[in-house]
Amino acid sequence: MTVEEQALLIRILGHPVRLRIVAELADRCVCVKEMWQHLCLPQAVVSQHLKVLKESGIVTARREGTRVCYSLQAELMAELVTVFSPRKVPAPCASGPSGRQ
């Protein structure tokens, strides 16, 4: 995943409602009705944010009869965790426009 792709996912997750949805899905699959009731938000609001999360690949949907249950896309979330993991950041190029020797 490129840095640009990581930045896009971080921007998508930057909305408070989407973060609340991701927290709801952290350890289980949740159906839409249960989610909007638990989050105390209108169904349309939750559905709009789920659509954004699904289109970005952050969540997956599975139909169970008449219900649609959502869960986190584990591999993508694992990769995002690495973005925030402490690691050595390379020094800026000393000969670049902002670098000095």
Side-chain angles (χ1 to χ4, degrees):
M1 178 179 286
T2 68
V3 172
E4 290 78 14
E5 291 168 330
Q6 292 170 342
L8 176 61
L9 289 175
I10 291 168
R11 281 194 300 274
I12 290 167
L13 291 171
H15 193 284
V17 171
R18 290 194 282 266
L19 275 179
R20 290 175 63 195
I21 290 171
V22 168
E24 276 293 307
L25 299 173
D27 57 354
R28 63 193 177 103
C29 181
V30 181
C31 294
V32 177
K33 183 177 180 181
E34 179 185 350
M35 192 176 312
W36 62 261
Q37 288 176 332
H38 187 262
L39 294 174
C40 298
L41 293 168
Q43 182 269 331
V45 170
V46 173
S47 292
Q48 285 179 321
H49 288 289
L50 281 168
K51 180 182 177 191
V52 172
L53 292 168
K54 185 178 175 191
E55 288 174 350
S56 66
I58 294 171
V59 301
T60 58
R62 183 180 76 242
R63 184 165 291 282
E64 294 180 355
T66 59
R67 304 177 335 160
V68 178
C69 292
Y70 289 84
S71 58
L72 292 178
Q73 206 280 356
E75 293 83 21
L76 180 63
M77 294 310 290
E79 181 150 351
L80 272 178
V81 167
T82 64
V83 171
F84 297 105
S85 297
R87 59 182 165 186
K88 195 172 191 173
V89 177
C93 180
S95 62
S98 63
R100 296 180 192 235
Q101 288 187 342

